[in-house]
């Protein structure tokens, strides 16, 4: 089962494959506003495991521009393995 770790927090979250990150990130304190990929409030930095997340959405490409280590938590899903994020 995929696992999400949030840097500087001791908790790890096991999620079913293809699960959105929104709910877990919101509970962990990531701020959200629109949840549609428009406002950019929920920008997270992927420290490890980018390859275990879904492909970038058009909303992320439009908002983030250069696709590197940042993602919009409202737009991505965990596919497999482990992912470590910070916000």
């Amino acid at each position: 089962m995929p696992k999400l770790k949030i840097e500087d927090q001791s908790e790890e979250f096991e999620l079913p494959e293809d699960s959105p990150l929104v709910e877990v990130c919101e509970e962990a304190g990531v701020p959200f506003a629109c949840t549609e990929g428009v406002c950019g409030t929920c920008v997270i930095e992927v420290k490890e495991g980018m390859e275990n997340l879904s492909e970038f959405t058009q909303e992320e490409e439009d908002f983030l521009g250069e696709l590197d280590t940042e993602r919009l938590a409202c737009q991505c899903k965990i596919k497999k393995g482990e992912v470590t994020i910070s916000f």
Side-chain angles (χ1 to χ4, degrees):
M1 187 170 284
K3 192 179 294 184
L4 179 68
K5 297 177 183 179
I6 300 175
E7 199 170 75
D8 299 330
Q9 295 187 13
S10 58
E11 241 178 319
E12 295 180 355
F13 304 90
E14 285 192 352
L15 301 167
E17 289 181 19
D18 294 322
S19 291
L21 300 185
V22 174
E23 191 174 310
V24 171
C25 286
E26 194 167 35
E27 288 175 16
V30 175
F32 284 86
C34 74
T35 67
E36 295 175 13
V38 177
C39 72
T41 304
C42 65
V43 171
I44 56 174
E45 183 176 358
V46 180
K47 298 292 194 172
E48 293 180 26
M50 180 71 84
E51 68 279 4
N52 296 327
L53 294 173
S54 58
E55 297 293 319
F56 283 89
T57 64
Q58 186 62 52
E59 290 81 6
E60 287 178 297
E61 291 180 27
D62 292 345
F63 185 82
L64 297 171
E66 186 176 317
L67 305 176
D68 192 15
T69 61
E70 293 183 328
R71 296 292 305 261
L72 297 177
C74 71
Q75 295 295 300
C76 57
K77 297 178 180 181
I78 192 165
K79 304 296 254 177
K80 61 183 179 179
E82 293 186 6
V83 176
T84 302
I85 65 165
S86 67
F87 62 94

